[in-house]
Amino acid sequence: MSEHKMFCYQCQESSKGIGCTVRGVCGKTDRVANLQDLLMYTVKGLAVLAEKGKVLGIEFSEYNHYTMTSLFMTITNANFDDRSIIDQIKRGLDLRETMKKDLKAKNVDLSDMHDCVEWTAESDEEMIVKSVSSEVGVLATENEDIRSLRELVMYGLKGMAAYAEHAYNLKHENKEIYEFITKALVSTLDNTLGAEELVALTLETGKYGVEAMALLDKANTQTYGNPEITSVNIGVRNKPAILISGHDLRDMEQLLEQTKGTGVDVYTHGEMLPANYYPAFKKYDNFVGNYGNSWWLQKEEFETFNGPILFTTNCIVPPKADHIDRIYTTGASGYPGCKHINPDTEGKKDFSKIVEHAKRLSSPTEIETGSIVGGFAHSQVFALADKVVEAVKSGAIKKFFVMAGCDGRMKSREYYTDFAEKLPKDTVILTAGCAKYRYNKLDLGDIGGIPRVLDAGQCNDSYSLAVIALKLKEVFELNDINDLPIAYNIAWYEQKAVIVLLALLYLGVKNIKLGPTLPAFLSPNVAKVLVETFGINGITNVEDDLTQLLA
Ligand code: FSO
Ligand code: SF4
C-alpha cells in the first residue's frame, strides 16, 4: 500500500485535511483502518454475488443484515476493535461460500470474478497481510475524481446503513434500500462508470438516504410515539447510575426496562439526549435526564459520571485507562478492552452486568444544573403550525437557519456558537444531531413563545427538518423549496452527516454552507461540480456568512 501505513479520509478531522496515513486523528490504529478497508472489500464481493442472485430471484437471507452491520462498523468512532472486525470479515467469507454454493447450484458461471469475490485467508495473519495489499482500500482507485465519487457514495452508504440498522432493530425494513445498497456497492467496482454516471449515483444515494431516514422516523415514532416538547433535566440525583450514549432507541428501551425498580438511574449522553423527548420513555421513574455535552468531551465527563457507560453506536473517544473498565459497547460499536454485549436471536440484550456494576459505584458528580428544551420533531412543529406560519407572515420570524449536523473537537467549531449568538433576534435555529451542543445551552430567548433553538432530535431527525421545510413550502404555496425563508449552515463530522447532506441535495436544497471544512475526499474537480450544480460552499467567518445568508 504505497508509502502509507493506512489511508483514511472519510471524516472532517482527517489529518491535515488530506487523510490519516499513520494513525487516525480519531484514535484508529493503522491495523484497524486497514482491516476496515478489507471488510468493505469483502462486502463488495458479497454484493457482486447478491446481484447475480437477484437476476435469478435468489435471496440470501443473511446478506442484507450482514452488509448493514459491516458498513456501520466502519463509521468514524464506532469500532476500534481489530478482533471484532476480523471476526466480521470471517463471517463474510463464510457467507460468501454459502452464496457461491447456492449460485453454482443454479448453474451460474462464477469464473473470472473480481478479486474481492475470490480472495481468502487461512489465518488472522494472512488477513492482515491482505488488508495492506494495493488492491484493497481507498487508494486502489488511481484516478482521484473517480476515487472521490466512489468514496462519496461509500460514505453515504455507511450513513444510510447506520439508519437502516436502527430501523431493523425495531423490525422495520425496506427492501428497496437494501437493493440500492447492493447496486451501489457493485457500481464502485465498475471501471466502465465515469464521473457523470457516478454523480448520478451520488444523487440516487441521496434519494435512498431520504428513504432510510423516513424508515427510521417511522420505526421510532410507531414504536415510541412522536417526540414531544420536553424540558430535559441536566442535573443529577443521588443514586448510582448508568450513562447511555449513541443512537439506538431499542437499546435505550431495553436498558430502561432492565433498570426499572433496581435503584439504578439512567442518564443519556451525547446523541442519546433526544430519547428524553419520546413519550414511551417518560414513564420510567429512574430515567433522570441528560448528563454532559457533545461526544468529544466524554473523557472528562465519564470521569465525573462515576458509573458505567453503555455505547450503542459512535462516537467513542479512546478511553482513559482509569475508566475503561466502566465502558460497555453493543451493536456495531466496539473498543479493545471494553466489554461487548451481544443480542440473542430475538435481539434481546442482557444488561444485568452493567446494572450490577452500577450498584457498586457512586452516584454522578454534578457538573451542571437546570434544564434544556427539545422535542421539535415534525409532528410537534405541525401542531404549532398556525403559530409558526403566523409568526412568519407577521414578520416576527424573518428567517430559519438549519444548523443541523455534527460537532467535533476542532477549535474552528467555535464558529457555530458565535454564529448562533450573533443571529438577529427575529431568526430561529432548526437543529438536529450533536451540532446542537454548540448553542443549545445559550439563552437565545423565544419569539412569541417559539424558542429560538428548535431541536428535532438526533442527526437522522434531520429528516424532520426536511419534512417541516416541505410542509412550509406547501403552506406558502411555493414551487421551489429554495424560495422559503430558510438558510442552511450545516456542520459535518462523519458519514451520517454525508448521507444527510446527499439527502438534502436530492430534495433540491441549494446553497448549503458546509463546515468547518469541506471534505478531504472531495477532489478539486468533484468539489467544483458540487459548487456549480448545488451552490455548496464552505464557511468563511461569522460576519461575512451572516451577511450572505441573511441577504
Ligand atoms: Fe454526532 Fe457522532 Fe449523530 Fe454522528 S455523536 S457525530 S453524524 O456519530 O451521528 O451527530
Ligand atoms: Fe482519520 Fe477520520 Fe479516518 Fe479517523 S475516521 S482515520 S480521523 S479520516
Side-chain angles (χ1 to χ4, degrees), residues 488-534:
Y488 293 79
N489 194 356
I490 309 271
W492 84 287
Y493 172 58
E494 46 94 341
Q495 300 76 49
K496 286 183 235 172
V498 174
I499 194 60
V500 171
L501 177 72
L502 295 183
L504 289 175
L505 296 186
Y506 168 73
L507 291 172
V509 176
K510 295 241 159 68
N511 303 321
I512 296 171
K513 258 194 194 303
L514 186 64
T517 52
L518 290 181
F521 56 81
L522 295 181
S523 68
N525 285 331
V526 172
K528 196 163 163 253
V529 171
L530 292 182
V531 171
E532 286 171 2
T533 320
F534 303 104

Side-chain angles (χ1 to χ4, degrees), residues 268-390:
T268 53
H269 184 262
E271 270 284 75
M272 197 55 93
L273 158 67
N276 287 275
Y277 313 152
Y278 286 87
F281 300 140
K282 292 185 177 174
K283 63 177 189 232
Y284 296 94
D285 298 335
N286 63 325
F287 184 14
V288 181
N290 191 69
Y291 188 85
N293 294 279
S294 187
W295 64 270
W296 57 278
L297 289 158
Q298 63 188 247
K299 275 196 190 170
E300 294 73 30
E301 293 174 353
F302 291 178
E303 208 56 40
T304 53
F305 185 73
N306 304 325
I309 298 112
L310 172 63
F311 269 104
T312 66
T313 62
N314 50 341
C315 281
I316 301 175
V317 175
K320 284 186 182 173
D322 54 3
H323 68 232
I324 194 167
D325 66 310
R326 287 196 274 123
I327 297 184
Y328 294 77
T329 58
T330 190
S333 68
Y335 197 89
C338 296
K339 287 165 236 52
H340 188 81
I341 295 172
N342 281 313
D344 65 13
T345 47
E346 299 293 301
K348 294 211 177 76
K349 294 180 181 174
D350 179 2
F351 294 136
S352 56
K353 279 203 179 74
I354 315 183
V355 179
E356 290 314 309
H357 195 167
K359 287 180 182 168
R360 300 194 296 273
L361 298 168
S362 331
S363 60
T365 305
E366 184 175 273
I367 53 171
E368 290 174 300
T369 54
S371 60
I372 47 175
V373 177
F376 296 91
H378 51 85
S379 87
Q380 190 68 81
V381 175
F382 289 174
L384 294 171
D386 291 348
K387 212 172 169 180
V388 173
V389 170
E390 196 38 52

Side-chain angles (χ1 to χ4, degrees), residues 6 8-15 19-20 23-28 33 76-77 409 493 495:
M6 58 180 275
C8 180
Y9 64 172
Q10 66 175 357
C11 86
Q12 190 272 325
E13 293 189 355
S14 61
S15 181
C20 299
R23 188 188 172 92
V25 173
C26 57
K28 189 161 75 175
T76 300
N77 288 344
R409 61 203 125 194
Y493 172 58
Q495 300 76 49

